[in-house]
Amino acid sequence: MAEASMGSSAKMSDEVQPRSYWRWSKQDFYPEESFQNWDSYRSALSQISSRFKDRLLSRSDDANEIGELRKRSENDMKRCLNWWDLTWFGFGSVIGAGIFVLTGQEAHDHAGPAIVLSYVASGLSAMLSVFCYTEFAIEIPVAGGSFAYLRVELGDFAAFITAANILLESILGGAAVARSWTSYFTSLLDRPTNSLRIHTNLTNGYNLLDPIAVGVLTIASTLAMISTQKTSYFNWIASAINTIVIFWYGCDLFVIIAGFAHANTSNMTPFLPFGAKGVFQAAAIVYFAYGGFDNIATMAEETRNPSRDIPMGLLGSMSIITVIYCLMALALSMMQKYTSIDPNAAYSVAFENVGMKWAKYLVALGALKGMTTVLLVGALGQARYTTHIARAHMIPPWFALVHPKTGTPINATLFITVCSACVAFFSSLDVLASLLSISTLFIFMMMAVALLVRRYYVRGNTPRTNLWKLVIFLLIIIASSMGTSAYWGLNPNGWVGYTITLPLWFLATLGISVFLPKQRMPKVWGVPLVPWLPSLSIATNLFLMGSLGYKAFIRFGICTIIMLVYYVFFGLHATYDMAHQCKPKLPTALKIAWRRQCNIIVQADPLANKEILRVILPSPNYAKV
């Protein structure tokens, strides 16, 4: 008996013993029933139509995203951040990318001195998106960011498309900043442009190999994997130094004074060398500069008091950053003719050309510090996006695991880093920037749609007629915004088309405001002037998307096709299995009885939501039928 008891205790001990973090079995990558063998997989493929319909109509909820999905990481992320950390993360994730990476390129190629207007336009659009992110991050404080928010409001399929673009944005964003890091490092060493890259005979745009970018990405991701709190300390120091450089030497004193002191009025004329079209084309590209703020939303799961800390961190840092961007862009245009601006290391070369060669090294050093913090915070936020996407099994759940000691998602960080390093090694900055911007703009547009859905539709409460009204108004808002963007691209000097598209947008937004009662109000903090601000966010994001060149849409289309192929053959079946794995198989007679009871409920209450009944069906309540 004693031996049996000891054996039982040993068995129980083995069962509760945590599994090793470093594991590589098939079950860790594809544990779903559809992938257990070839027969199961063929059976799953034969049900693509019905499974797609199920996933298209399914919705998650706040409690599931906050509670159930987090358990799939096996270990919790550590709540160690406050508003001060988030504010510095805001500076670290944004300052460096916009000022130093794209300003020179877009001033030279598209906007000229009017690059400052490009930053104003993209900054206003970004602030509208910041409002949407802030409300969601407070209400649903999880690592998934926009992916989690869209799963709740728009469903699994919309969330997958967004998730794929998030991963694309994460990979390309890190690659773009790493490539620019190499350019400024070259300037700091006073060497010719591209001298530290390996020249090959590959296609133009992919022929300059960049091993330094790979090394910088590796170092940043290693720091991010060690500890979120330690990374925050490092970010404080680096961002503080960088902000001092920007404010003291860069914005308020050094660059602005130097810009006026060395101003040449001929540099500002013509102010619009490429016309208004060039301004908005540049605005669509430099929008990438503001994209890092969404990384702060992914930190909600590690924030001690999300309802207080996230608004302070997001709104505070982004307001200041928008002003910094505009001032820095103006200073560059005042110092140097747009035709002479170096697209790769604009500020360093500009100071050298006005006779301040020593400042060239100071600015290059500040740029390197700024881009290092961008890479560091990016590695944190991107990995947390990936973690939550893997929790939903849209990618293998192995990437959702959180290390028990560091409290960080090491597997997800490695995935993003390896992919970014491969892209950064081959691709030039101009190739990356346009594709990155279109993905960012698409995600932020979807966020504004999701916010309107959240405010005006609640499953089980909203009458079906109001749901259809909301859908129709949203379609008109999106279609009219796309029409405005298309008309601008085809006929920038025309005005007749706007007399149709703009009133349609206004009337659809007014329709939501007048004819639809709000179904939900935020508990702590919410976007003001709903539905007008979210509707304006949809319009501005789509307008900026339309300002991008056709090549960006071709690349976006190719990437979307690849995403859909993956979804059809893998993501669809994995998420379907996870959604239905907990449903017990009921006897046929009991199923029939339960369905009859559900029909009685629907007939008795026309507002009863069939989705709720579907969720209730597998619950123990069937015993009462």
Side-chain angles (χ1 to χ4, degrees):
M1 180 68 70
E3 292 179 359
S5 176
M6 291 176 62
S8 176
S9 300
K11 184 177 180 180
M12 290 178 62
S13 178
D14 290 338
E15 288 177 356
V16 300
Q17 185 176 1
R19 300 173 65 190
S20 169
Y21 183 81
W22 304 108
R23 53 185 194 262
W24 309 86
S25 69
K26 176 180 175 295
Q27 288 297 108
D28 295 312
F29 286 87
Y30 292 103
E32 301 84 11
E33 183 180 348
S34 295
F35 305 110
Q36 294 308 301
N37 52 61
W38 283 108
D39 289 337
S40 298
Y41 186 56
R42 281 194 294 268
S43 176
L45 292 179
S46 68
Q47 303 172 45
I48 286 177
S49 178
S50 60
R51 291 188 172 199
F52 178 76
K53 181 180 179 181
D54 178 88
R55 294 292 83 207
L56 184 65
L57 299 177
S58 68
R59 300 289 184 273
S60 181
D61 55 50
D62 295 12
N64 184 54
E65 297 297 315
I66 296 172
E68 196 62 34
L69 255 65
R70 287 173 60 178
K71 296 176 182 177
R72 296 177 184 174
S73 291
E74 296 187 2
N75 300 287
D76 289 334
M77 297 183 189
K78 298 176 180 178
R79 290 193 177 275
C80 55
L81 303 177
N82 55 34
W83 68 270
W84 181 252
D85 298 296
L86 296 180
T87 300
W88 282 109
F89 273 134
F91 281 101
S93 66
V94 179
I95 290 183
I99 293 175
F100 300 114
V101 175
L102 294 175
T103 307
Q105 174 183 298
E106 293 309 303
H108 182 275
D109 295 341
H110 295 125
I115 185 67
V116 63
L117 298 183
S118 301
Y119 272 107
V120 171
S122 57
L124 291 175
S125 181
M127 283 303 297
L128 294 174
S129 297
V130 168
F131 282 130
C132 297
Y133 265 90
T134 302
E135 179 173 329
F136 271 114
I138 294 171
E139 298 279 312
I140 312 175
V142 294
S146 54
F147 167 73
Y149 313 148
L150 292 180
R151 252 173 64 89
V152 171
E153 302 303 334
L154 300 183
D156 259 24
F157 182 69
F160 168 78
I161 296 298
T162 306
N165 277 282
I166 288 170
L167 293 179
L168 182 64
E169 178 192 24
S170 301
I171 292 166
L172 298 184
V177 177
R179 292 282 296 198
S180 192
W181 199 99
T182 303
S183 296
Y184 271 92
F185 186 60
T186 304
S187 177
L188 184 64
L189 298 179
D190 202 18
R191 299 189 58 170
T193 304
N194 295 322
S195 61
L196 297 180
R197 296 188 174 107
I198 302 171
H199 296 252
T200 67
N201 295 323
L202 298 173
T203 304
N204 187 36
Y206 305 91
N207 58 333
L208 298 174
L209 309 186
D210 198 334
I212 294 178
V214 175
V216 172
L217 282 167
T218 303
I219 294 171
S221 63
T222 301
L223 288 171
M225 287 185 289
I226 294 173
S227 167
T228 303
Q229 186 65 59
K230 290 178 181 177
T231 304
S232 177
Y233 294 151
F234 178 85
N235 182 67
W236 282 4
I237 298 169
S239 294
I241 294 173
N242 185 56
T243 303
I244 290 171
V245 170
I246 288 173
F247 271 103
W248 181 259
Y249 295 104
C251 246
D252 290 342
L253 293 177
F254 189 78
V255 172
I256 291 183
I257 292 175
F260 279 104
H262 296 86
N264 185 342
T265 54
S266 63
N267 290 342
M268 299 298 292
T269 55
F271 186 68
L272 293 166
F274 302 97
K277 183 176 182 180
V279 171
F280 287 107
Q281 189 172 359
I285 299 294
V286 300
Y287 198 91
F288 154 61
Y290 295 96
F293 76 80
D294 56 341
N295 287 321
I296 300 176
T298 68
M299 302 292 180
E301 194 170 312
E302 296 160 272
T303 303
R304 294 192 182 107
N305 188 352
S307 61
R308 181 199 66 185
D309 297 338
I310 290 175
M312 295 176 68
L314 260 175
L315 297 175
S317 61
M318 280 302 298
S319 299
I320 298 171
I321 287 165
T322 301
V323 175
I324 290 176
Y325 276 176
C326 294
L327 292 174
M328 290 291 283
L330 181 61
L332 178 65
S333 299
M334 294 173 67
M335 281 193 292
Q336 194 170 16
K337 189 77 172 178
Y338 75 93
T339 53
S340 302
I341 290 176
D342 188 316
N344 294 310
Y347 287 91
S348 294
V349 175
F351 279 113
E352 184 176 14
N353 289 342
V354 297
M356 303 175 69
K357 189 173 182 179
W358 59 272
K360 165 186 174 179
Y361 304 107
L362 181 64
V363 173
L365 183 61
L368 289 176
K369 290 175 181 176
M371 285 180 281
T372 300
T373 58
V374 168
L375 290 172
L376 182 61
V377 179
L380 287 170
Q382 293 153 10
R384 279 141 187 82
Y385 267 131
T386 307
T387 298
H388 204 75
I389 293 169
R391 286 170 176 172
H393 286 232
M394 287 193 177
I395 60 176
W398 184 78
F399 296 110
L401 299 178
V402 172
H403 196 279
K405 292 184 178 179
T406 65
T408 58
I410 293 178
N411 295 343
T413 308
L414 288 173
F415 171 69
I416 294 295
T417 303
V418 170
C419 294
S420 290
C422 291
V423 174
F425 189 62
F426 291 98
S427 305
S428 64
L429 182 59
D430 59 333
V431 171
L432 296 171
S434 61
L435 184 55
L436 178 66
S437 290
I438 197 171
S439 294
T440 304
L441 288 164
F442 175 77
I443 294 168
F444 292 168
M445 183 274 294
M446 293 289 286
M447 282 292 298
V449 172
L451 185 91
L452 287 174
V453 172
R454 184 172 182 83
R455 289 291 193 96
Y456 291 95
Y457 174 68
V458 174
R459 283 166 288 168
N461 293 333
T462 306
R464 185 170 293 275
T465 54
N466 284 4
L467 171 60
W468 281 111
K469 287 179 185 178
L470 177 61
V471 171
I472 291 170
F473 286 140
L474 283 175
L475 289 176
I476 294 174
I477 289 172
I478 293 171
S480 60
S481 300
M482 292 175 67
T484 301
S485 180
Y487 187 75
W488 168 263
L490 295 172
N491 188 12
N493 298 318
W495 59 271
V496 177
Y498 303 133
T499 61
I500 300 173
T501 59
L502 294 180
L504 281 175
W505 173 86
F506 177 82
L507 291 174
T509 308
L510 182 65
I512 294 177
S513 178
V514 173
F515 296 109
L516 292 177
K518 291 180 182 177
Q519 299 290 307
R520 189 197 322 252
M521 293 300 294
K523 301 180 183 70
V524 180
W525 188 95
V527 177
L529 299 177
V530 174
W532 295 99
L533 288 188
S535 181
L536 184 61
S537 180
I538 294 171
T540 55
N541 283 316
L542 286 173
F543 182 81
L544 291 176
M545 284 178 69
S547 301
L548 294 167
Y550 72 94
K551 291 184 178 179
F553 283 91
I554 292 175
R555 293 167 184 152
F556 182 72
I558 293 172
C559 292
T560 301
I561 291 172
I562 295 172
M563 296 169 190
L564 291 175
V565 169
Y566 170 83
Y567 184 70
V568 168
F569 288 98
F570 294 97
L572 170 63
H573 309 293
T575 54
Y576 180 87
D577 286 347
M578 290 306 299
H580 294 270
Q581 69 174 354
C582 296
K583 293 185 177 181
K585 296 182 179 180
L586 305 179
T588 303
L590 200 52
K591 284 184 180 180
I592 294 173
W594 181 254
R595 286 170 185 162
R596 287 175 179 169
Q597 185 69 14
C598 291
N599 289 333
I600 294 172
I601 294 172
V602 172
Q603 292 170 7
D605 181 4
L607 301 183
N609 189 283
K610 292 182 180 180
E611 178 68 13
I612 292 178
L613 294 177
R614 186 184 68 79
V615 174
I616 294 175
L617 177 59
S619 75
N621 291 331
Y622 66 80
K624 299 177 182 178
V625 179

